[in-house]
Amino acid sequence: MNQNNKTNENKKCPIEKKCGGCQYLSKPYFTTLDIKKKYVIDCFLKEKIACKIEQIYGAKHPYQYRNKMILGVQSQQNKLIYGFYQENSHKIIPLDFCILHSNNQNEIAKVIFDCIIKLHIHPYDEDKKTGILRYVCIRESYHTQKCLVTFVTSKKELPFKEELVKQIIDKCPNVQTIIQNVNPKKTSVVLGDQDRILYGNGYIEDKLCGLSFQITSKSFYQVNPEQTEILYQLVKDFGNFQKNEIVIDAYSGIGTIGFIISKLVREVISVENNPQAVSFAFKNAKENNIRNVKIIQDDATHFLLNLAKEQRRIDTIIMDPPRTGSTPLFLKSVLKLNPLKIIYVSCGPDTLARDLKILLSSYNIKKISLVDMFCWTKHIETIALLLKK
Ligand code: SAH
């Protein structure tokens, strides 16, 4: 275990109990890692799988690590309130300062809401279907500290938008681009389908493992940049890639993992279903001069099923599905494709164990490590290497 993690004194958060976002904030950091380790082992035990964890990578900087802030907006007693939603509720806990986010993001949030309140832009009311503003999202580049701001609105009209944009860019030099996203649906999903750029070029740039990435409002991007570099390095180490390998990067987002390993192998095939992420994967490949990654926009299961029918030679499959995990059909196709190695990256230990159970008919678990991407919360990232029996 990384001895640097010893944080003797915990930072205090005035709304810890009410907010509920950081379940373990009152515990010593070391203890939180032990709890997470035990949780992963328990998830595996439930599926009757033995789990020997090689290492847990705690964070050197367990505070202010998040590069993305999602703030809900509500009217409470005729006052505009902004902050995080209390877990499993429709209630927003007013934000003062969140210790998981940078000073930069916290300050920008304050300025933005100051402007919103002064301009009398009304929060959206789900029940009455009145008002406009649903969320404000701030995404920060770890490398440049520049930010992308997204206003999520219930309809296309955003009153005083020119004035709002002007005030924000005047007061916040780190805001590089501003987007309006329209989400009229009754849903807990934050972003809708339509994006409109209000200022700048619509994306920010970040660097990871020596490569540059353009990030938009919608594309998936890991929330903890320092720990992401550790995770991606582990993918390289676990993969022990050979120059002639053909590798699949499934659930590839804007292409990060595939691009990072592309120099080590013959070809990477990336598959991702989000069209905006895919279009930025193409841009990112060009930007980084990467030519041996084939980027496919498709449902990962549908794509793998077809690949398995063609009996294509695949040496390694890297998969990094959402928290809900993969599908039985995807996993069956993996078994059919019969790669030498499978690297499963997961932010849901329960669905990971469920999915591994299917793969263990033909594979052995060689190594499992954990990376604490989500310090103080109950979540943990797992990486597992499977080798053909
Ligand atoms: N590997 C990437 C992204 C991981 S997050 C990274 O490290 O940044 C999971 C990704 O899976 C998201 O980009 C999401 O859009 C994508 N996804 C979700 N369901 C999918 C499906 N059925 N088929 C393909 N991609 C999917």
Side-chain angles (χ1 to χ4, degrees):
M1 202 181 285
N2 186 348
Q3 290 301 315
N4 290 329
N5 299 322
K6 240 177 209 158
T7 43
N8 292 328
E9 224 174 278
N10 284 25
K11 283 200 182 176
K12 298 265 181 293
C13 168
I15 53 166
E16 175 195 346
K17 291 263 152 34
K18 280 199 236 159
C19 166
C22 298
Q23 293 85 3
Y24 301 147
L25 203 54
S26 55
K27 299 186 192 308
Y29 186 61
F30 254 73
T31 311
T32 70
L33 296 180
D34 286 341
I35 298 171
K36 293 183 190 202
K37 210 167 151 181
K38 184 171 178 305
Y39 173 61
V40 175
I41 293 170
D42 285 349
C43 287
F44 276 63
L45 274 181
K46 241 188 212 156
E47 297 290 348
K48 301 196 171 58
I49 305 172
C51 172
K52 194 174 151 284
I53 293 167
E54 208 167 79
Q55 200 161 347
I56 175 158
Y57 294 83
K60 260 192 189 162
H61 303 110
Y63 298 105
Q64 303 205 299
Y65 60 84
R66 275 188 68 96
N67 58 11
K68 184 167 87 168
M69 194 180 225
I70 302 173
L71 297 166
V73 191
Q74 256 177 10
S75 176
Q76 287 177 18
Q77 277 126 26
N78 279 330
K79 242 184 97 185
L80 184 145
I81 300 290
Y82 67 93
F84 304 121
Y85 274 93
Q86 198 172 31
E87 223 190 357
N88 303 322
S89 92
H90 283 276
K91 197 172 164 215
I92 286 173
I93 303 301
L95 174 79
D96 179 31
F97 184 97
C98 175
I99 56 176
L100 296 198
H101 296 87
S102 64
N103 293 350
N104 193 23
Q105 290 165 55
N106 276 291
E107 279 159 20
I108 288 173
K110 269 210 167 75
V111 174
I112 289 176
F113 280 98
D114 206 38
C115 299
I116 287 170
I117 291 167
K118 280 192 184 136
L119 288 169
H120 298 288
I121 298 171
H122 297 294
Y124 178 64
D125 185 314
E126 250 180 12
D127 302 322
K128 293 185 198 145
K129 305 264 179 302
T130 55
I132 305 274
L133 191 61
R134 301 184 74 158
Y135 298 93
V136 173
C137 309
I138 303 170
R139 255 190 159 168
E140 180 177 358
S141 160
Y142 177 72
H143 191 66
T144 66
Q145 281 82 56
K146 293 289 177 204
C147 291
L148 176 152
V149 172
T150 309
F151 294 113
V152 184
T153 58
S154 58
K155 47 186 164 190
K156 272 191 194 155
E157 294 75 37
L158 174 58
F160 309 113
K161 66 170 185 282
E162 287 84 8
E163 188 54 30
L164 180 64
V165 167
K166 186 180 173 310
Q167 289 191 15
I168 292 170
I169 55 170
D170 279 353
K171 291 179 184 163
C172 309
N174 276 346
V175 172
Q176 192 176 11
T177 185
I178 303 178
I179 291 173
Q180 180 190 355
N181 173 274
V182 185
N183 187 2
K185 290 185 193 150
K186 191 173 165 56
T187 166
S188 57
V189 177
V190 175
L191 295 171
D193 296 331
Q194 265 185 68
D195 265 352
R196 182 154 45 142
I197 298 175
L198 302 182
Y199 173 74
N201 49 15
Y203 62 82
I204 47 168
E205 262 179 359
D206 207 358
K207 281 214 158 103
L208 264 183
C209 303
L211 298 180
S212 342
F213 292 96
Q214 295 183 356
I215 306 146
T216 61
S217 56
K218 281 205 199 103
S219 39
F220 178 89
Y221 191 62
Q222 300 281 1
V223 294
N224 184 335
E226 285 185 12
Q227 294 298 90
T228 301
E229 290 217 329
I230 292 178
L231 176 72
Y232 291 168
Q233 186 56 46
L234 279 173
V235 173
K236 277 189 187 172
D237 296 346
F238 277 25
N240 186 24
F241 295 105
Q242 308 298 311
K243 211 59 206 144
N244 63 345
E245 281 190 46
I246 301 171
V247 180
I248 286 182
D249 175 18
Y251 308 93
S252 54
I254 53 170
T256 40
I257 295 178
F259 295 157
I260 285 163
I261 63 150
S262 63
K263 276 200 184 70
L264 306 172
V265 300
R266 189 164 102 196
E267 187 187 9
V268 177
I269 306 167
S270 291
V271 56
E272 161 65 42
N273 69 354
N274 177 331
Q276 203 186 62
V278 169
S279 85
F280 274 82
F282 278 110
K283 283 190 190 169
N284 291 331
K286 211 170 159 198
E287 193 74 16
N288 292 292
N289 216 355
I290 290 169
R291 298 211 178 86
N292 61 338
V293 179
K294 210 183 205 166
I295 300 159
I296 314 264
Q297 186 193 329
D298 200 352
D299 167 63
T301 300
H302 177 256
F303 179 70
L304 233 68
L305 204 65
N306 282 337
L307 219 56
K309 272 186 204 149
E310 288 168 22
Q311 296 185 316
R312 280 281 300 270
R313 177 197 130 194
I314 302 294
D315 301 297
T316 302
I317 294 182
I318 301 170
M319 53 189 290
D320 182 8
R323 195 158 280 148
T324 45
S326 190
T327 64
L329 219 52
F330 180 99
L331 298 163
K332 274 188 198 146
S333 306
V334 171
L335 291 175
K336 250 194 184 163
L337 284 166
N338 203 24
L340 280 173
K341 297 171 274 184
I342 302 168
I343 298 172
Y344 195 140
V345 178
S346 158
C347 58
D350 50 344
T351 52
L352 169 68
R354 179 200 70 197
D355 290 353
L356 286 188
K357 189 147 193 178
I358 297 180
L359 296 174
L360 290 183
S361 58
S362 308
Y363 288 81
N364 288 320
I365 300 177
K366 180 76 182 157
K367 277 195 246 186
I368 298 175
S369 281
L370 310 181
V371 182
D372 193 21
M373 293 273 228
F374 318 101
C375 314
W376 310 114
T377 77
K378 63 184 176 193
H379 300 294
I380 182 76
E381 192 83 12
T382 309
I383 172 167
L385 169 67
L386 278 73
L387 296 181
K388 211 157 85 175
K389 276 183 188 168

